[in-house]
C-alpha cells in the first residue's frame, strides 16, 4: 500500500515527465492515465476487487517509467522511453488476462 501511495503522490511528476518527453506515443499517455486511475481507485477503496497482482504489476511499471537509468537510459533521444512503453504496455495490455 505504501508504494501505491508513493506513486499517487508522484502523479504530477509522472504527468510532467510524459509532457516533457518528445517521443511519447499517445497510447502510452493513455495507458499511464489508466494505470494511475486504477491504482487510485484501489487505494481509495472504490475498486477493492482489483487483484493485488494487477496492482503490483501496474506499480512496478510506473516505478520503472520514473527510473531514468533503466535498460535503455531515458536520455537517449527517441529510444529512451521505448523500454518504458514496452513495460507499461505489457502490464496494461495483460489486465484482462486474469
Amino acid at each position: 500500500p505504501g508504494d501505491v501511495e508513493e506513486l499517487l503522490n508522484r502523479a504530477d511528476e509522472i504527468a510532467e515527465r510524459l509532457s516533457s518527453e518528445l517521443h511519447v506515443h499517445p497510447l502510452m499517455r493513455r495507458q499511464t492515465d489508466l494505470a494511475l486511475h486504477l491504482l487510485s481507485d484501489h487505494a481509495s477503496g472504490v475498486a477493492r476487487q482489483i487483484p493485488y497482482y494487477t496492482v503490483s504489476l501496474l506499480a512496478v511499471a510506473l516505478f520503472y517509467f520514473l527510473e531514468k537509468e533503466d535498460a535503455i537510459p531515458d536520455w537517449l533521444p527517441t529510444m529512451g522511453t521505448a523500454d518504458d512503453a514496452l513495460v507499461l504496455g505489457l502490464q496494461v495490455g495483460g489486465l484482462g488476462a486474469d
Side-chain angles (χ1 to χ4, degrees):
D3 290 337
V4 172
E5 290 297 325
E6 180 183 345
L7 277 172
L8 295 175
N9 290 336
R10 295 176 72 181
D12 290 340
E13 180 182 348
I14 293 170
E16 172 63 32
R17 178 117 183 274
L18 283 169
S19 65
S20 68
E21 296 288 337
L22 297 176
H23 302 285
V24 174
H25 194 277
L27 177 60
M28 185 177 175
R29 294 178 200 280
R30 290 192 305 272
Q31 290 173 332
T32 303
D33 287 342
L34 175 62
L36 286 169
H37 278 89
L38 288 172
L39 292 175
S40 177
D41 285 350
H42 177 78
S44 67
V46 172
R48 286 285 181 194
Q49 73 274 19
I50 299 173
Y52 288 114
Y53 177 77
T54 300
V55 170
S56 62
L57 288 178
L58 292 174
V60 166
L62 290 175
F63 275 122
Y64 188 85
F65 173 69
L66 287 170
E67 183 62 43
K68 293 182 188 296
E69 295 295 326
D70 45 32
I72 302 175
D74 293 342
W75 51 266
L76 290 171
T78 309
M79 295 303 299
T81 56
D83 60 325
D84 302 326
L86 176 65
V87 169
L88 187 63
L90 288 171
Q91 303 317 318
V92 173
L95 289 177
D98 291 340

